Amino acid sequence: MSTIEQQATGTFAADPVHSHVGFEVPYAVATFSGEVPEFTASLVDGHLEGSAKIQSLRLKDENLQAHVLSPEFFDAERHPVLTFSGDLARDGDKATIDGEITIKGITHPATLTGTIVGPTLDHFGATRIGLTLETVVDRTAFDIKWNMPLPSGEPALGNEVTLKADLTLVAQEA
Amino acid sequence: MRVLAISGSLRRDSNNTALLRALREEAPAGVEVEVWDGLKGIPPYDVDDDLVPGPPKVEAFRTLVREADAIFFATPEYNSSIPGALKNALDWASRPIAANAFRNKPVAVIGSSAGAFGGVWAAAELRKVLAAMGARVTEVELVVGHAHDKLDEVGELADDDIRDELREALDLLLAEAEPAVAVA
């Protein structure tokens, strides 16, 4: 049995210091992850809008970073922003957001799933909502097709990329 | 708009260089095509020589690439791949990797050869190398087989169909080189 609990009405904006946006993708024998530290997100009466500046991506090697920002991957010069927008549906602490994601100028439907906490008061008296969300996209659908074969013949880089957002959203004064 | 045209052949009567001269003739008004003749002067790549600044002819090449709006390659095929001199010049140009002169640069690759296949494998290899360097590789896929039969007695391109295809290839490259629409 599902119940609709607290509604996330009103306007909330991401607290970037206590939020995280990034991705994970299978690479060779493990998982490669990256963070996009410059982003914005807002939740207005249950509608989530988010955008991330891919140019702010920080990887641990400058040459790898340049490759991932190049036209062969994100093409940050021509498509500097990734966006998502969708409507939040809540079932207890479970959150589902059906919407659209745009990467490299290409838009596809996407459903983010995860958990929601709040609205609740924090230790400074502000009202916060926590959203932990992820979705899996096929990067090739967004024209990100680079790969190299491993000696086994298998591709080095997976096509299924998990996009992750841990958001702390703070109520904005009217 | 300024296009730097690079032939992968050093040969005086090169089919590929002839294609690039024809490309220059076919360029629309406002588009300047410069056929680069400096390939033979690029020294062999040596990390020990890869200093700042690099060898003068390398630095001159990097500057030409940086100042061009787009680069148009025509390459022969040696042993199913890119001519060594061309690959060597690109290896120099690709340094330093993260900020190399080809990064985000719109490029087009065509091939030609005396054989039937027109250097299709060399062209594919060249596209792969340019993509790895961070260039903006367009979908131009023109290859000219039996290229020596397409030139006249003074070594100029004498095939109107290929001239049409060169114009189309250049149009594709120029469209890619249009300034990007700014996205906030």
Side-chain angles (χ1 to χ4, degrees):
Chain A
M1 187 175 71
S2 64
T3 57
I4 303 298
E5 297 183 350
Q6 295 154 291
Q7 295 298 314
T9 55
T11 298
F12 295 78
D15 163 3
V17 174
H18 298 97
S19 301
H20 177 278
V21 171
F23 65 85
E24 293 178 350
V25 61
Y27 180 66
V29 296
T31 299
F32 180 77
S33 60
E35 181 182 4
V36 185
E38 291 185 27
F39 62 89
T40 62
S42 65
L43 184 67
V44 179
D45 294 335
H47 181 76
L48 182 72
E49 293 271 352
S51 72
K53 290 184 181 176
I54 193 62
Q55 193 80 46
S56 73
L57 174 73
R58 289 293 173 263
L59 303 180
K60 293 178 181 175
D61 178 273
E62 66 169 350
N63 295 330
L64 175 61
Q65 180 167 308
H67 191 197
V68 171
L69 294 177
S70 78
E72 201 163 38
F73 280 86
F74 284 106
D75 193 2
E77 182 191 57
R78 296 273 169 100
H79 304 289
V81 178
L82 283 60
T83 62
F84 175 84
S85 83
D87 294 314
L88 169 67
R90 178 176 192 168
D91 182 359
D93 65 352
K94 291 185 172 57
T96 302
I97 304 182
D98 282 321
E100 290 186 329
I101 193 162
T102 301
I103 301 171
K104 208 175 180 180
I106 299 169
T107 301
H108 288 292
T111 299
L112 310 186
T113 58
T115 58
I116 181 169
V117 175
T120 188
L121 283 175
D122 71 10
H123 42 306
F124 298 114
T127 302
R128 291 178 179 251
I129 293 175
L131 277 172
T132 301
L133 301 166
E134 67 177 53
T135 190
V136 176
V137 299
D138 175 357
R139 65 186 175 91
T140 65
F142 298 92
D143 192 32
I144 300 177
K145 297 175 180 171
W146 179 91
N147 230 319
M148 289 281 273
L150 297 166
S152 66
E154 293 295 310
L157 186 63
N159 288 339
E160 293 199 338
V161 182
T162 303
L163 306 177
K164 307 184 86 158
D166 291 315
L167 302 176
T168 290
L169 297 150
V170 182
Q172 306 296 291
E173 291 186 14
Chain B
M1 193 78 77
R2 198 169 149 271
V3 176
L4 183 65
I6 298 176
S7 172
S9 173
L10 300 173
R11 186 166 68 94
R12 183 190 56 203
D13 298 325
S14 158
N15 304 323
N16 282 283
T17 310
L19 286 171
L20 295 179
R21 286 196 302 272
L23 182 82
R24 184 173 59 196
E25 292 164 8
E26 299 300 328
V31 176
E32 178 195 347
V33 174
E34 177 184 351
V35 181
W36 184 51
D37 63 0
L39 181 60
K40 199 167 183 172
I42 299 294
Y45 181 75
D46 182 340
V47 175
D48 292 339
D49 297 334
D50 190 1
L51 307 171
V52 180
K57 289 182 178 176
V58 169
E59 291 297 344
F61 176 46
R62 288 170 172 161
T63 299
L64 277 175
V65 171
R66 281 208 172 82
E67 292 180 350
D69 297 297
I71 317 288
F72 196 109
F73 288 89
T75 184
E77 183 171 281
Y78 296 170
N79 298 308
S80 304
S81 189
I82 308 166
L86 178 57
K87 178 65 162 50
N88 176 64
L90 294 178
D91 291 340
W92 272 114
S94 71
R95 309 283 296 177
I97 295 170
N100 81 74
F102 275 90
R103 192 158 291 286
N104 292 316
K105 189 71 68 179
V107 299
V109 174
I110 67 169
S112 81
S113 71
F117 296 106
V120 64
W121 293 286
E125 291 267 307
L126 182 50
R127 287 187 197 97
K128 184 184 79 174
V129 169
L130 290 164
M133 290 165 62
R136 187 176 299 287
V137 183
T138 64
E139 294 179 1
V140 169
E141 289 200 350
L142 172 62
V143 290
V144 180
H146 304 302
H148 54 292
D149 293 338
K150 312 292 195 305
L151 307 184
D152 62 19
E153 63 279 3
V154 293
E156 300 303 325
L157 181 64
D159 185 310
D160 288 342
D161 290 340
I162 296 172
R163 283 185 180 270
D164 289 344
E165 292 184 271
L166 283 172
R167 271 197 303 275
E168 289 170 15
L170 183 58
D171 286 347
L172 264 174
L173 179 62
L174 295 174
E176 194 64 49
E178 287 292 319
V181 177
V183 179

